[in-house]
Amino acid sequence: MYEHESRPDLRQKKYIQMTTMPVEKLVTKLALPTIASMLVTALYNMADTYFVSSVGSGSDGTNAIAAVSLAFSVMAIIQAFGFFIGQGSANYISRALGGQDTEKASEMAATGLFCALVVGLVITLVGELLLEQIAWLLGAHDRALLAPATEYLRWIFAAAPVMTCSFCLNNQLRFQGNAVYAMIGVVSGALLNVGLDPLLIHRFGMGVEGASVATCISQSVGFCILLGGTFRGDNLRIHPRRIRINRENLSQIARGGLPSLLRQGFNSVSVMVLNLAAGQVGAAMPHMGEAAVIAAFGLVSKIMTVANFVAIGMGQGYQPVCGFNYGAGLYRRVKNAFWFLVKASFVWCALVTLAGELGAKQILGLFSDTEEKVRLLSEQILRLQCATFLVNCWVMPANMTQQTIGWSKSASILAAARQGMFLIPLVLVLPRFFGLTGIKLCQPISDLLTLFLAIPLQVAVLRHFRQAEAARLQEVQP
C-alpha cells in the first residue's frame, strides 16, 4: 500500500472543502499565501538589483545592473521549463483529485518532478559549456559588461536543476490546494537570499558573483523545504517507484504545460530581443550609452515584476479551485470563481496604475546609486507600462482558466500573444523608425493587442461553462 492510500479522511476533507466552500472565501484563502510568497520573491529580486547596483559607483554600478538584467532572461528560461512541467503535471493533478482519482494524481506528481530534474541537468550542462557565447548572445558585447554577466550566469546555470524542481513542486503543492506549504519553501529561500546578498557581495568582496552564489544557495535550501512539504499533511507523497514515463503522462504534461512554456519562453526571448534593441538604441545615443538604456529597462522590469506577482498570486489561488471543481463537474462554481478573480484583479491593477503614474519618481528614487540618466529614462518607461497594466485583470484570469481546464489550444495562443505574437515583432520594427520612443511604446501596445485577443477566447470558455452546466442539470433530473 502506498503512503497516499493511508490518508483517505484527510483527502476527503480536502475534496469537500474545495468543492463546497464559497468560492470567494476559498480563492482568497488560497491566494493570500501565494501572494505573500510572490511578493517576497519579487522584493528579493528588487533587493538583488539594489545590492548589485552598489557594487561600484557610476558606470560600474550601471554595468552590474545591466549584467543582472541580461542574466534575468536565462533565469526566465529556467523558470519556463520548471513551470512547463510543474503546471502541466499540476493541472492534471487538480483535475484528477477533483475526480477523486488519487492514484493517477500521485503518479503524475512523481513523474513531473523526475522530468523537471532531467531538464534542469540538461540546462546546466549546456549553460556551463557555452557560458561566454550565451552571455554574448544576450547582449553582453562590451568586455566591461561581458565579465560581470558571465560571473553571474555561471552560478545560475549551476542551480538550474534545483530551480526547475522547485518551480515544479511549488505548482504541484498549490494545485493540491496547499499553498501554505508552497509559500514556506519559496519565502524561506527568498529571505535567505536577501540575507546572503550583502554578506557575499560586500563582506566577502565577491561583487556580482556573490549575488549569483546567494541565489544558488537559497534556491537549493528552498527546494529541500518544498520537497519536505510533500511528506506533510494530505499532500501527495513523492516516491521514485511512482514514476511512470509513458506516452500518456508525457502528453498530459506537454498539453497542460505548453501555455506556461510559451508564455515564459517568449518572455525570455522578448527580454533578449529588448535588451539587444535597447543596446543598439543606446549605442547610437552618445549621451546615454548601451549599458544605461539596458539598465533602465531592467530596473522597470524588476518593478513591474512586483506588480505582476501580486496579480499572478491572485490567479494562482484561483487555479486549484478551478481545477478541482472542473474535474468534479461543478461548472457554475468555476464560473463564479472566475468573475471573483476578475473583480479582485481589477482593483489591484487600478492601484498599480495610479501608483506608477503619480509616484514613478519616488519609486525609482529607491535606487539611489543609479546614474541620473538611468533614473530619468526609467521613470518614462514605468509610466508608459503602468498606463496599460489594467488589461491584466482580464488577460491573466482568462489564460489561467483555459490552461487549468485543459483548453490547451486557446491557452497556448493567449500565452504566446503578448510576448511572442506582438512584443517581439514590435521591438524588431518600431525602434528602427522611432528610436528610443519606439522601444518605449512596444510593451504598452502589446498589452492592448493582447486584450483584444483575450476577450473572444474567454467568452467561448464562459459559453462552454454555461452549456456544460445545463447538460449536467439535465442528466441529474429524473
Side-chain angles (χ1 to χ4, degrees), residues 213-415:
V213 173
T215 298
C216 185
I217 294 173
S218 62
Q219 288 287 339
S220 299
V221 172
F223 165 71
C224 292
I225 294 173
L226 285 168
L227 184 61
T230 64
F231 293 92
R232 299 182 63 85
D234 60 351
N235 293 319
L236 296 170
R237 300 326 197 221
I238 302 291
H239 197 286
R241 64 187 176 186
R242 305 297 298 155
I243 298 172
R244 298 289 185 275
I245 304 297
N246 54 47
R247 183 174 181 178
E248 179 187 356
N249 286 341
L250 294 179
S251 175
Q252 289 291 344
I253 291 174
R255 289 179 57 198
L258 182 60
S260 291
L261 182 63
L262 290 173
R263 182 167 51 250
Q264 298 286 346
F266 276 121
N267 180 60
S268 302
V269 175
S270 68
V271 170
M272 297 179 197
V273 174
L274 187 63
N275 284 330
L276 288 172
Q280 292 171 357
V281 169
M285 303 171 65
H287 65 288
M288 289 297 296
E290 178 181 3
V293 179
I294 293 175
F297 276 95
L299 278 176
V300 175
S301 176
K302 295 281 187 179
I303 293 168
M304 295 306 296
T305 295
V306 177
N308 275 305
F309 274 6
V310 174
I312 293 171
M314 293 178 182
Q316 289 183 344
Y318 156 78
Q319 283 181 299
V321 179
C322 176
F324 259 85
N325 287 279
Y326 189 80
L330 304 176
Y331 306 109
R332 183 180 295 277
R333 282 177 59 82
V334 179
K335 185 171 65 175
N336 291 341
F338 167 78
W339 284 114
F340 172 72
L341 177 61
V342 170
K343 295 172 186 176
S345 298
F346 177 85
V347 173
W348 171 249
C349 292
L351 290 174
V352 170
T353 298
L354 288 174
E357 297 301 330
L358 301 178
K361 184 176 181 179
Q362 290 74 19
I363 294 171
L364 271 303
L366 295 173
F367 301 90
S368 57
D369 292 325
T370 307
E371 290 183 279
E372 182 67 18
K373 61 183 179 182
V374 175
R375 285 202 301 273
L376 291 174
L377 177 57
S378 299
E379 289 176 25
Q380 300 169 16
I381 299 169
L382 180 60
R383 288 193 175 96
L384 282 170
Q385 292 194 19
C386 285
T388 55
F389 189 73
L390 202 60
V391 306
N392 288 295
C393 72
W394 179 267
V395 173
M396 181 271 296
N399 200 198
M400 286 188 168
T401 301
Q402 294 160 26
Q403 183 174 4
T404 304
I405 67 175
W407 280 37
S408 182
K409 184 176 179 180
S410 62
S412 297
I413 292 173
L414 188 53

Side-chain angles (χ1 to χ4, degrees), residues 29-106:
K29 177 183 177 181
L30 294 175
L32 287 177
T34 304
I35 292 172
S37 63
M38 298 289 279
L39 271 178
V40 170
T41 302
L43 292 174
Y44 138 68
N45 286 330
M46 296 283 287
D48 202 40
T49 302
Y50 173 79
F51 288 120
V52 166
S53 70
S54 63
V55 166
S57 60
S59 61
D60 289 338
T62 298
N63 282 330
I65 295 175
V68 175
S69 299
L70 294 177
F72 186 73
S73 58
V74 170
M75 296 179 70
I77 289 175
I78 296 172
Q79 181 177 344
F81 281 104
F83 266 72
F84 167 59
I85 298 168
Q87 290 258 355
S89 58
N91 283 324
Y92 181 87
I93 288 169
S94 69
R95 295 195 301 270
L97 292 176
Q100 302 192 63
D101 190 348
T102 308
E103 178 71 20
K104 290 297 294 182
S106 181

